[in-house]
Structures are given as C-alpha cells and as structure tokens.
Amino acid sequence: MAVVKVKSDLTVGEPDPARHRGRPIVAALAVANAATDSIGSKYHLIDLPSCAILDARTAFQVQNWGFADIRIGTESDNDALVSVLKSAGNVVSPVVQFDAKHGKPLWQVLGLAADPGGMIGIYAHAIAAATGAGTMLAEIHYRFR
C-alpha cells in the first residue's frame, strides 16, 4: 500500500473565509398566514448573503403553519430550499450535517448556476390555499466572512 500525504481543502490555496473562519450568525423569525391566504401567496422570510454557509442547525418549525405543503426557496423558485409535506414532521431542516449541501455557499445550496453576489431573498410559498391560519417559526444559522 502507498504512503500518502494529503491536504484538506482548507489547507490548499486560499480557503473560502466563510468556511475557514466564518463568523456564526443566528437569525430567529416568525411569519404568520391568514386562513384566507390563497395559492400564489409569498412570505418574505429573510435576506441572506449569497456566499453565506448554511449550518445544519437551520430549521423551520412548521407544525402550526397554515399550509399542508411546505415550500421554501427564492422569490422565483418556490422549492429551492425545502419541498416537503407538513405531515412529514414538525421541524424541517434544509441542510443536514455532512450531506451534499454541507459546507456549500447558499447560492449552490439553492441550485443556482453561478454566484449572483449580494443578498438572496428567502421566501415561503403557498402552492395551494391555506388550510387555516398559522405561524411558522425559524432559526437560520449561517457562517459569513
């Protein structure tokens, strides 16, 4: 067997500052919907830097959200971050520790072809009429330069 010396991606070249020494930031939010909200409604949750690294602790508490389908994404892509039925669980986490999205900048997690730079708005979308009034809580954990 060969003896090797291999470097991690943090020791080769100039590592991404957000991954190497990123400052942890936590934002807590709540958003409410009315029982009369219909298909096509949008709920602006937060604006995040396109190069922010989402942490696995990011979670949306959807137990009391007034929609059966949970869709969270950008303003124009309703499920870029989350697409799940509310019945799948009370808490939805878009990034799981060590999954394919681990350590990736937000723009890649959202499936964009290139970094648009600046801020990206994150939205919850109604793809059907509300089943009742409700509230979604969330904690967004991310690292930023």
Side-chain angles (χ1 to χ4, degrees):
M1 297 190 116
V3 174
V4 298
K5 282 179 100 172
V6 179
K7 294 183 177 188
S8 79
D9 60 352
L10 289 183
T11 62
V12 177
E14 193 65 34
D16 178 352
R19 290 187 64 223
H20 190 245
R21 292 189 188 94
R23 177 174 48 104
I25 300 170
V26 179
L29 63 92
V31 62
N33 74 279
T36 55
D37 292 355
S38 64
I39 187 171
S41 296
K42 294 181 186 179
Y43 306 85
H44 190 181
L45 304 178
I46 190 168
D47 291 318
L48 297 173
S50 64
C51 57
I53 308 291
L54 283 183
D55 189 270
R57 291 174 290 181
T58 294
F60 298 90
Q61 198 273 2
V62 297
Q63 174 182 353
N64 298 316
W65 188 228
F67 296 94
D69 286 299
I70 309 303
R71 297 291 189 270
I72 301 171
T74 64
E75 185 172 16
S76 60
D77 185 348
N78 71 5
D79 62 357
L81 196 58
V82 172
S83 176
V84 69
L85 292 173
K86 183 165 79 172
S87 60
N90 294 338
V91 177
V92 175
S93 298
V95 176
V96 177
Q97 189 171 24
F98 306 129
D99 74 355
K101 298 175 184 175
H102 175 80
K104 304 275 189 222
L106 178 64
W107 68 271
Q108 286 182 343
V109 169
L110 294 172
L112 302 177
D115 184 355
M119 304 297 275
I120 297 175
I122 303 299
Y123 290 78
H125 293 263
I127 64 165
T131 57
T135 302
M136 178 193 306
L137 305 176
E139 273 197 3
I140 313 297
H141 293 251
Y142 65 100
R143 295 186 299 281
F144 188 63
R145 333 182 161 150

PDB file of all heavy atoms in Angstrom, residues 105-143:
ATOM      1  N   PRO A 105     -21.844  27.218  -0.226  1.00  0.00           N
ATOM      2  CA  PRO A 105     -22.450  28.548  -0.116  1.00  0.00           C
ATOM      3  C   PRO A 105     -23.934  28.493  -0.498  1.00  0.00           C
ATOM      4  O   PRO A 105     -24.362  27.616  -1.255  1.00  0.00           O
ATOM      5  CB  PRO A 105     -21.648  29.390  -1.109  1.00  0.00           C
ATOM      6  CG  PRO A 105     -21.012  28.431  -2.039  1.00  0.00           C
ATOM      7  CD  PRO A 105     -20.841  27.141  -1.283  1.00  0.00           C
ATOM      8  N   LEU A 106     -24.686  29.434   0.003  1.00  0.00           N
ATOM      9  CA  LEU A 106     -26.136  29.465  -0.210  1.00  0.00           C
ATOM     10  C   LEU A 106     -26.504  29.343  -1.685  1.00  0.00           C
ATOM     11  O   LEU A 106     -27.416  28.597  -2.035  1.00  0.00           O
ATOM     12  CB  LEU A 106     -26.723  30.752   0.387  1.00  0.00           C
ATOM     13  CG  LEU A 106     -28.224  30.953   0.195  1.00  0.00           C
ATOM     14  CD1 LEU A 106     -29.013  29.863   0.915  1.00  0.00           C
ATOM     15  CD2 LEU A 106     -28.643  32.336   0.682  1.00  0.00           C
ATOM     16  N   TRP A 107     -25.819  30.048  -2.546  1.00  0.00           N
ATOM     17  CA  TRP A 107     -26.185  30.018  -3.961  1.00  0.00           C
ATOM     18  C   TRP A 107     -26.095  28.604  -4.536  1.00  0.00           C
ATOM     19  O   TRP A 107     -26.912  28.228  -5.375  1.00  0.00           O
ATOM     20  CB  TRP A 107     -25.362  31.018  -4.780  1.00  0.00           C
ATOM     21  CG  TRP A 107     -23.898  30.727  -4.914  1.00  0.00           C
ATOM     22  CD1 TRP A 107     -22.899  31.137  -4.075  1.00  0.00           C
ATOM     23  CD2 TRP A 107     -23.272  29.968  -5.947  1.00  0.00           C
ATOM     24  NE1 TRP A 107     -21.689  30.675  -4.531  1.00  0.00           N
ATOM     25  CE2 TRP A 107     -21.884  29.967  -5.678  1.00  0.00           C
ATOM     26  CE3 TRP A 107     -23.731  29.299  -7.073  1.00  0.00           C
ATOM     27  CZ2 TRP A 107     -20.968  29.313  -6.490  1.00  0.00           C
ATOM     28  CZ3 TRP A 107     -22.816  28.644  -7.887  1.00  0.00           C
ATOM     29  CH2 TRP A 107     -21.453  28.667  -7.602  1.00  0.00           C
ATOM     30  N   GLN A 108     -25.148  27.796  -4.072  1.00  0.00           N
ATOM     31  CA  GLN A 108     -25.054  26.413  -4.532  1.00  0.00           C
ATOM     32  C   GLN A 108     -26.147  25.554  -3.907  1.00  0.00           C
ATOM     33  O   GLN A 108     -26.731  24.700  -4.575  1.00  0.00           O
ATOM     34  CB  GLN A 108     -23.686  25.822  -4.216  1.00  0.00           C
ATOM     35  CG  GLN A 108     -22.597  26.345  -5.106  1.00  0.00           C
ATOM     36  CD  GLN A 108     -21.248  25.699  -4.812  1.00  0.00           C
ATOM     37  OE1 GLN A 108     -21.040  25.100  -3.769  1.00  0.00           O
ATOM     38  NE2 GLN A 108     -20.326  25.856  -5.744  1.00  0.00           N
ATOM     39  N   VAL A 109     -26.434  25.772  -2.632  1.00  0.00           N
ATOM     40  CA  VAL A 109     -27.496  25.023  -1.959  1.00  0.00           C
ATOM     41  C   VAL A 109     -28.838  25.258  -2.665  1.00  0.00           C
ATOM     42  O   VAL A 109     -29.654  24.349  -2.787  1.00  0.00           O
ATOM     43  CB  VAL A 109     -27.584  25.424  -0.466  1.00  0.00           C
ATOM     44  CG1 VAL A 109     -28.827  24.871   0.195  1.00  0.00           C
ATOM     45  CG2 VAL A 109     -26.332  24.964   0.276  1.00  0.00           C
ATOM     46  N   LEU A 110     -29.041  26.469  -3.176  1.00  0.00           N
ATOM     47  CA  LEU A 110     -30.276  26.813  -3.874  1.00  0.00           C
ATOM     48  C   LEU A 110     -30.295  26.308  -5.315  1.00  0.00           C
ATOM     49  O   LEU A 110     -31.296  26.453  -6.004  1.00  0.00           O
ATOM     50  CB  LEU A 110     -30.488  28.326  -3.852  1.00  0.00           C
ATOM     51  CG  LEU A 110     -30.745  28.939  -2.477  1.00  0.00           C
ATOM     52  CD1 LEU A 110     -30.731  30.457  -2.562  1.00  0.00           C
ATOM     53  CD2 LEU A 110     -32.042  28.425  -1.882  1.00  0.00           C
ATOM     54  N   GLY A 111     -29.176  25.739  -5.770  1.00  0.00           N
ATOM     55  CA  GLY A 111     -29.126  25.183  -7.122  1.00  0.00           C
ATOM     56  C   GLY A 111     -28.880  26.204  -8.218  1.00  0.00           C
ATOM     57  O   GLY A 111     -29.161  25.942  -9.386  1.00  0.00           O
ATOM     58  N   LEU A 112     -28.342  27.377  -7.857  1.00  0.00           N
ATOM     59  CA  LEU A 112     -28.047  28.386  -8.868  1.00  0.00           C
ATOM     60  C   LEU A 112     -26.774  28.008  -9.629  1.00  0.00           C
ATOM     61  O   LEU A 112     -25.870  27.382  -9.074  1.00  0.00           O
ATOM     62  CB  LEU A 112     -27.886  29.764  -8.219  1.00  0.00           C
ATOM     63  CG  LEU A 112     -29.099  30.264  -7.426  1.00  0.00           C
ATOM     64  CD1 LEU A 112     -28.788  31.596  -6.763  1.00  0.00           C
ATOM     65  CD2 LEU A 112     -30.308  30.377  -8.324  1.00  0.00           C
ATOM     66  N   ALA A 113     -26.676  28.413 -10.890  1.00  0.00           N
ATOM     67  CA  ALA A 113     -25.530  28.060 -11.735  1.00  0.00           C
ATOM     68  C   ALA A 113     -24.285  28.875 -11.397  1.00  0.00           C
ATOM     69  O   ALA A 113     -23.169  28.420 -11.642  1.00  0.00           O
ATOM     70  CB  ALA A 113     -25.896  28.263 -13.207  1.00  0.00           C
ATOM     71  N   ALA A 114     -24.469  30.065 -10.853  1.00  0.00           N
ATOM     72  CA  ALA A 114     -23.339  30.929 -10.507  1.00  0.00           C
ATOM     73  C   ALA A 114     -23.739  31.813  -9.336  1.00  0.00           C
ATOM     74  O   ALA A 114     -24.922  32.000  -9.054  1.00  0.00           O
ATOM     75  CB  ALA A 114     -22.952  31.790 -11.707  1.00  0.00           C
ATOM     76  N   ASP A 115     -22.737  32.351  -8.662  1.00  0.00           N
ATOM     77  CA  ASP A 115     -22.980  33.241  -7.527  1.00  0.00           C
ATOM     78  C   ASP A 115     -23.512  34.573  -8.052  1.00  0.00           C
ATOM     79  O   ASP A 115     -22.806  35.282  -8.771  1.00  0.00           O
ATOM     80  CB  ASP A 115     -21.686  33.453  -6.751  1.00  0.00           C
ATOM     81  CG  ASP A 115     -21.850  34.284  -5.491  1.00  0.00           C
ATOM     82  OD1 ASP A 115     -22.964  34.801  -5.242  1.00  0.00           O
ATOM     83  OD2 ASP A 115     -20.863  34.412  -4.749  1.00  0.00           O
ATOM     84  N   PRO A 116     -24.747  34.948  -7.688  1.00  0.00           N
ATOM     85  CA  PRO A 116     -25.289  36.222  -8.152  1.00  0.00           C
ATOM     86  C   PRO A 116     -24.708  37.418  -7.400  1.00  0.00           C
ATOM     87  O   PRO A 116     -24.900  38.557  -7.799  1.00  0.00           O
ATOM     88  CB  PRO A 116     -26.790  36.086  -7.881  1.00  0.00           C
ATOM     89  CG  PRO A 116     -26.860  35.170  -6.706  1.00  0.00           C
ATOM     90  CD  PRO A 116     -25.709  34.206  -6.880  1.00  0.00           C
ATOM     91  N   GLY A 117     -23.995  37.133  -6.290  1.00  0.00           N
ATOM     92  CA  GLY A 117     -23.462  38.208  -5.464  1.00  0.00           C
ATOM     93  C   GLY A 117     -24.567  38.895  -4.686  1.00  0.00           C
ATOM     94  O   GLY A 117     -25.756  38.728  -4.978  1.00  0.00           O
ATOM     95  N   GLY A 118     -24.199  39.616  -3.684  1.00  0.00           N
ATOM     96  CA  GLY A 118     -25.182  40.360  -2.900  1.00  0.00           C
ATOM     97  C   GLY A 118     -26.060  39.469  -2.040  1.00  0.00           C
ATOM     98  O   GLY A 118     -25.660  38.404  -1.583  1.00  0.00           O
ATOM     99  N   MET A 119     -27.282  39.905  -1.852  1.00  0.00           N
ATOM    100  CA  MET A 119     -28.230  39.216  -0.982  1.00  0.00           C
ATOM    101  C   MET A 119     -29.233  38.412  -1.798  1.00  0.00           C
ATOM    102  O   MET A 119     -29.582  38.796  -2.913  1.00  0.00           O
ATOM    103  CB  MET A 119     -28.982  40.232  -0.121  1.00  0.00           C
ATOM    104  CG  MET A 119     -28.087  41.136   0.716  1.00  0.00           C
ATOM    105  SD  MET A 119     -27.111  40.255   1.935  1.00  0.00           S
ATOM    106  CE  MET A 119     -28.288  40.154   3.260  1.00  0.00           C
ATOM    107  N   ILE A 120     -29.685  37.302  -1.213  1.00  0.00           N
ATOM    108  CA  ILE A 120     -30.721  36.474  -1.820  1.00  0.00           C
ATOM    109  C   ILE A 120     -31.890  36.418  -0.847  1.00  0.00           C
ATOM    110  O   ILE A 120     -31.719  36.068   0.322  1.00  0.00           O
ATOM    111  CB  ILE A 120     -30.215  35.043  -2.103  1.00  0.00           C
ATOM    112  CG1 ILE A 120     -29.067  35.065  -3.117  1.00  0.00           C
ATOM    113  CG2 ILE A 120     -31.356  34.159  -2.596  1.00  0.00           C
ATOM    114  CD1 ILE A 120     -28.443  33.701  -3.362  1.00  0.00           C
ATOM    115  N   GLY A 121     -33.059  36.747  -1.326  1.00  0.00           N
ATOM    116  CA  GLY A 121     -34.265  36.676  -0.506  1.00  0.00           C
ATOM    117  C   GLY A 121     -34.751  35.244  -0.398  1.00  0.00           C
ATOM    118  O   GLY A 121     -34.796  34.518  -1.388  1.00  0.00           O
ATOM    119  N   ILE A 122     -35.103  34.843   0.817  1.00  0.00           N
ATOM    120  CA  ILE A 122     -35.656  33.511   1.067  1.00  0.00           C
ATOM    121  C   ILE A 122     -37.145  33.689   1.376  1.00  0.00           C
ATOM    122  O   ILE A 122     -37.514  34.503   2.230  1.00  0.00           O
ATOM    123  CB  ILE A 122     -34.927  32.807   2.233  1.00  0.00           C
ATOM    124  CG1 ILE A 122     -33.419  32.706   1.950  1.00  0.00           C
ATOM    125  CG2 ILE A 122     -35.537  31.433   2.507  1.00  0.00           C
ATOM    126  CD1 ILE A 122     -33.062  31.893   0.709  1.00  0.00           C
ATOM    127  N   TYR A 123     -37.983  32.908   0.686  1.00  0.00           N
ATOM    128  CA  TYR A 123     -39.431  33.047   0.766  1.00  0.00           C
ATOM    129  C   TYR A 123     -40.102  31.707   1.056  1.00  0.00           C
ATOM    130  O   TYR A 123     -39.636  30.670   0.591  1.00  0.00           O
ATOM    131  CB  TYR A 123     -40.005  33.546  -0.571  1.00  0.00           C
ATOM    132  CG  TYR A 123     -39.664  34.971  -0.904  1.00  0.00           C
ATOM    133  CD1 TYR A 123     -38.403  35.305  -1.390  1.00  0.00           C
ATOM    134  CD2 TYR A 123     -40.601  35.986  -0.749  1.00  0.00           C
ATOM    135  CE1 TYR A 123     -38.083  36.619  -1.707  1.00  0.00           C
ATOM    136  CE2 TYR A 123     -40.287  37.297  -1.069  1.00  0.00           C
ATOM    137  CZ  TYR A 123     -39.024  37.609  -1.557  1.00  0.00           C
ATOM    138  OH  TYR A 123     -38.718  38.914  -1.863  1.00  0.00           O
ATOM    139  N   ALA A 124     -41.209  31.765   1.784  1.00  0.00           N
ATOM    140  CA  ALA A 124     -42.128  30.625   1.874  1.00  0.00           C
ATOM    141  C   ALA A 124     -43.210  30.898   0.837  1.00  0.00           C
ATOM    142  O   ALA A 124     -43.598  32.053   0.617  1.00  0.00           O
ATOM    143  CB  ALA A 124     -42.730  30.520   3.266  1.00  0.00           C
ATOM    144  N   HIS A 125     -43.677  29.838   0.180  1.00  0.00           N
ATOM    145  CA  HIS A 125     -44.661  29.972  -0.890  1.00  0.00           C
ATOM    146  C   HIS A 125     -45.897  29.131  -0.593  1.00  0.00           C
ATOM    147  O   HIS A 125     -45.779  28.019  -0.072  1.00  0.00           O
ATOM    148  CB  HIS A 125     -44.076  29.481  -2.218  1.00  0.00           C
ATOM    149  CG  HIS A 125     -42.963  30.333  -2.726  1.00  0.00           C
ATOM    150  ND1 HIS A 125     -43.146  31.311  -3.662  1.00  0.00           N
ATOM    151  CD2 HIS A 125     -41.639  30.340  -2.433  1.00  0.00           C
ATOM    152  CE1 HIS A 125     -41.994  31.888  -3.931  1.00  0.00           C
ATOM    153  NE2 HIS A 125     -41.052  31.308  -3.196  1.00  0.00           N
ATOM    154  N   ALA A 126     -47.039  29.639  -1.017  1.00  0.00           N
ATOM    155  CA  ALA A 126     -48.290  28.877  -0.937  1.00  0.00           C
ATOM    156  C   ALA A 126     -48.540  28.276  -2.319  1.00  0.00           C
ATOM    157  O   ALA A 126     -48.751  29.003  -3.281  1.00  0.00           O
ATOM    158  CB  ALA A 126     -49.443  29.781  -0.537  1.00  0.00           C
ATOM    159  N   ILE A 127     -48.486  26.936  -2.399  1.00  0.00           N
ATOM    160  CA  ILE A 127     -48.771  26.293  -3.684  1.00  0.00           C
ATOM    161  C   ILE A 127     -50.210  25.786  -3.724  1.00  0.00           C
ATOM    162  O   ILE A 127     -50.622  25.183  -4.702  1.00  0.00           O
ATOM    163  CB  ILE A 127     -47.775  25.164  -3.997  1.00  0.00           C
ATOM    164  CG1 ILE A 127     -47.876  24.028  -2.988  1.00  0.00           C
ATOM    165  CG2 ILE A 127     -46.363  25.718  -4.067  1.00  0.00           C
ATOM    166  CD1 ILE A 127     -47.204  22.749  -3.440  1.00  0.00           C
ATOM    167  N   ALA A 128     -50.937  26.036  -2.646  1.00  0.00           N
ATOM    168  CA  ALA A 128     -52.370  25.735  -2.557  1.00  0.00           C
ATOM    169  C   ALA A 128     -52.959  26.713  -1.543  1.00  0.00           C
ATOM    170  O   ALA A 128     -52.223  27.415  -0.853  1.00  0.00           O
ATOM    171  CB  ALA A 128     -52.594  24.293  -2.108  1.00  0.00           C
ATOM    172  N   ALA A 129     -54.258  26.743  -1.434  1.00  0.00           N
ATOM    173  CA  ALA A 129     -54.900  27.615  -0.459  1.00  0.00           C
ATOM    174  C   ALA A 129     -54.562  27.152   0.964  1.00  0.00           C
ATOM    175  O   ALA A 129     -54.299  25.975   1.200  1.00  0.00           O
ATOM    176  CB  ALA A 129     -56.407  27.613  -0.669  1.00  0.00           C
ATOM    177  N   ALA A 130     -54.579  28.094   1.883  1.00  0.00           N
ATOM    178  CA  ALA A 130     -54.309  27.772   3.288  1.00  0.00           C
ATOM    179  C   ALA A 130     -55.372  26.821   3.832  1.00  0.00           C
ATOM    180  O   ALA A 130     -56.531  26.877   3.448  1.00  0.00           O
ATOM    181  CB  ALA A 130     -54.277  29.049   4.119  1.00  0.00           C
ATOM    182  N   THR A 131     -54.933  25.947   4.729  1.00  0.00           N
ATOM    183  CA  THR A 131     -55.865  25.046   5.409  1.00  0.00           C
ATOM    184  C   THR A 131     -56.348  25.671   6.715  1.00  0.00           C
ATOM    185  O   THR A 131     -57.215  25.138   7.377  1.00  0.00           O
ATOM    186  CB  THR A 131     -55.204  23.688   5.695  1.00  0.00           C
ATOM    187  OG1 THR A 131     -54.026  23.906   6.483  1.00  0.00           O
ATOM    188  CG2 THR A 131     -54.838  22.987   4.401  1.00  0.00           C
ATOM    189  N   GLY A 132     -55.753  26.794   7.075  1.00  0.00           N
ATOM    190  CA  GLY A 132     -56.107  27.523   8.284  1.00  0.00           C
ATOM    191  C   GLY A 132     -55.068  28.594   8.549  1.00  0.00           C
ATOM    192  O   GLY A 132     -54.033  28.656   7.883  1.00  0.00           O
ATOM    193  N   ALA A 133     -55.344  29.448   9.520  1.00  0.00           N
ATOM    194  CA  ALA A 133     -54.364  30.450   9.922  1.00  0.00           C
ATOM    195  C   ALA A 133     -53.224  29.750  10.642  1.00  0.00           C
ATOM    196  O   ALA A 133     -53.406  28.688  11.236  1.00  0.00           O
ATOM    197  CB  ALA A 133     -55.021  31.482  10.835  1.00  0.00           C
ATOM    198  N   GLY A 134     -52.050  30.317  10.573  1.00  0.00           N
ATOM    199  CA  GLY A 134     -50.927  29.681  11.249  1.00  0.00           C
ATOM    200  C   GLY A 134     -49.699  30.558  11.314  1.00  0.00           C
ATOM    201  O   GLY A 134     -49.670  31.668  10.793  1.00  0.00           O
ATOM    202  N   THR A 135     -48.681  30.010  11.960  1.00  0.00           N
ATOM    203  CA  THR A 135     -47.409  30.709  12.122  1.00  0.00           C
ATOM    204  C   THR A 135     -46.265  29.728  11.936  1.00  0.00           C
ATOM    205  O   THR A 135     -46.310  28.612  12.457  1.00  0.00           O
ATOM    206  CB  THR A 135     -47.308  31.339  13.530  1.00  0.00           C
ATOM    207  OG1 THR A 135     -48.399  32.237  13.703  1.00  0.00           O
ATOM    208  CG2 THR A 135     -46.004  32.089  13.724  1.00  0.00           C
ATOM    209  N   MET A 136     -45.265  30.154  11.194  1.00  0.00           N
ATOM    210  CA  MET A 136     -44.031  29.382  11.037  1.00  0.00           C
ATOM    211  C   MET A 136     -42.943  30.108  11.818  1.00  0.00           C
ATOM    212  O   MET A 136     -42.802  31.323  11.713  1.00  0.00           O
ATOM    213  CB  MET A 136     -43.621  29.303   9.565  1.00  0.00           C
ATOM    214  CG  MET A 136     -42.303  28.556   9.351  1.00  0.00           C
ATOM    215  SD  MET A 136     -41.586  28.741   7.678  1.00  0.00           S
ATOM    216  CE  MET A 136     -42.920  28.233   6.645  1.00  0.00           C
ATOM    217  N   LEU A 137     -42.205  29.352  12.600  1.00  0.00           N
ATOM    218  CA  LEU A 137     -41.043  29.876  13.306  1.00  0.00           C
ATOM    219  C   LEU A 137     -39.802  29.326  12.624  1.00  0.00           C
ATOM    220  O   LEU A 137     -39.834  28.243  12.036  1.00  0.00           O
ATOM    221  CB  LEU A 137     -41.062  29.441  14.772  1.00  0.00           C
ATOM    222  CG  LEU A 137     -42.306  29.780  15.580  1.00  0.00           C
ATOM    223  CD1 LEU A 137     -42.209  29.196  16.980  1.00  0.00           C
ATOM    224  CD2 LEU A 137     -42.508  31.283  15.636  1.00  0.00           C
ATOM    225  N   ALA A 138     -38.701  30.048  12.727  1.00  0.00           N
ATOM    226  CA  ALA A 138     -37.464  29.552  12.128  1.00  0.00           C
ATOM    227  C   ALA A 138     -36.258  30.132  12.842  1.00  0.00           C
ATOM    228  O   ALA A 138     -36.324  31.213  13.432  1.00  0.00           O
ATOM    229  CB  ALA A 138     -37.400  29.918  10.646  1.00  0.00           C
ATOM    230  N   GLU A 139     -35.191  29.358  12.797  1.00  0.00           N
ATOM    231  CA  GLU A 139     -33.866  29.846  13.188  1.00  0.00           C
ATOM    232  C   GLU A 139     -32.947  29.543  12.022  1.00  0.00           C
ATOM    233  O   GLU A 139     -32.841  28.405  11.584  1.00  0.00           O
ATOM    234  CB  GLU A 139     -33.350  29.137  14.444  1.00  0.00           C
ATOM    235  CG  GLU A 139     -33.791  29.775  15.710  1.00  0.00           C
ATOM    236  CD  GLU A 139     -32.953  29.332  16.906  1.00  0.00           C
ATOM    237  OE1 GLU A 139     -31.985  28.568  16.759  1.00  0.00           O
ATOM    238  OE2 GLU A 139     -33.300  29.771  17.993  1.00  0.00           O
ATOM    239  N   ILE A 140     -32.348  30.595  11.508  1.00  0.00           N
ATOM    240  CA  ILE A 140     -31.411  30.474  10.396  1.00  0.00           C
ATOM    241  C   ILE A 140     -30.012  30.623  10.973  1.00  0.00           C
ATOM    242  O   ILE A 140     -29.657  31.677  11.475  1.00  0.00           O
ATOM    243  CB  ILE A 140     -31.663  31.556   9.322  1.00  0.00           C
ATOM    244  CG1 ILE A 140     -33.140  31.679   8.971  1.00  0.00           C
ATOM    245  CG2 ILE A 140     -30.791  31.307   8.108  1.00  0.00           C
ATOM    246  CD1 ILE A 140     -33.772  30.471   8.349  1.00  0.00           C
ATOM    247  N   HIS A 141     -29.237  29.546  10.909  1.00  0.00           N
ATOM    248  CA  HIS A 141     -27.852  29.554  11.389  1.00  0.00           C
ATOM    249  C   HIS A 141     -26.953  29.546  10.156  1.00  0.00           C
ATOM    250  O   HIS A 141     -27.096  28.681   9.292  1.00  0.00           O
ATOM    251  CB  HIS A 141     -27.552  28.298  12.205  1.00  0.00           C
ATOM    252  CG  HIS A 141     -28.291  28.228  13.501  1.00  0.00           C
ATOM    253  ND1 HIS A 141     -27.676  28.384  14.718  1.00  0.00           N
ATOM    254  CD2 HIS A 141     -29.611  28.003  13.776  1.00  0.00           C
ATOM    255  CE1 HIS A 141     -28.572  28.253  15.679  1.00  0.00           C
ATOM    256  NE2 HIS A 141     -29.750  28.035  15.131  1.00  0.00           N
ATOM    257  N   TYR A 142     -26.045  30.526  10.083  1.00  0.00           N
ATOM    258  CA  TYR A 142     -25.134  30.523   8.951  1.00  0.00           C
ATOM    259  C   TYR A 142     -23.791  31.160   9.346  1.00  0.00           C
ATOM    260  O   TYR A 142     -23.683  31.838  10.362  1.00  0.00           O
ATOM    261  CB  TYR A 142     -25.737  31.230   7.735  1.00  0.00           C
ATOM    262  CG  TYR A 142     -26.010  32.713   7.877  1.00  0.00           C
ATOM    263  CD1 TYR A 142     -25.128  33.656   7.352  1.00  0.00           C
ATOM    264  CD2 TYR A 142     -27.165  33.178   8.481  1.00  0.00           C
ATOM    265  CE1 TYR A 142     -25.380  35.018   7.448  1.00  0.00           C
ATOM    266  CE2 TYR A 142     -27.441  34.522   8.583  1.00  0.00           C
ATOM    267  CZ  TYR A 142     -26.544  35.447   8.058  1.00  0.00           C
ATOM    268  OH  TYR A 142     -26.802  36.790   8.163  1.00  0.00           O
ATOM    269  N   ARG A 143     -22.788  30.880   8.520  1.00  0.00           N
ATOM    270  CA  ARG A 143     -21.465  31.459   8.710  1.00  0.00           C
ATOM    271  C   ARG A 143     -21.207  32.443   7.567  1.00  0.00           C
ATOM    272  O   ARG A 143     -21.563  32.191   6.422  1.00  0.00           O
ATOM    273  CB  ARG A 143     -20.390  30.371   8.733  1.00  0.00           C
ATOM    274  CG  ARG A 143     -20.548  29.452   9.923  1.00  0.00           C
ATOM    275  CD  ARG A 143     -19.415  28.446  10.058  1.00  0.00           C
ATOM    276  NE  ARG A 143     -19.251  27.536   8.945  1.00  0.00           N
ATOM    277  CZ  ARG A 143     -19.992  26.449   8.728  1.00  0.00           C
ATOM    278  NH1 ARG A 143     -21.006  26.166   9.530  1.00  0.00           N
ATOM    279  NH2 ARG A 143     -19.759  25.659   7.701  1.00  0.00           N
TER     280      ARG A 143
END
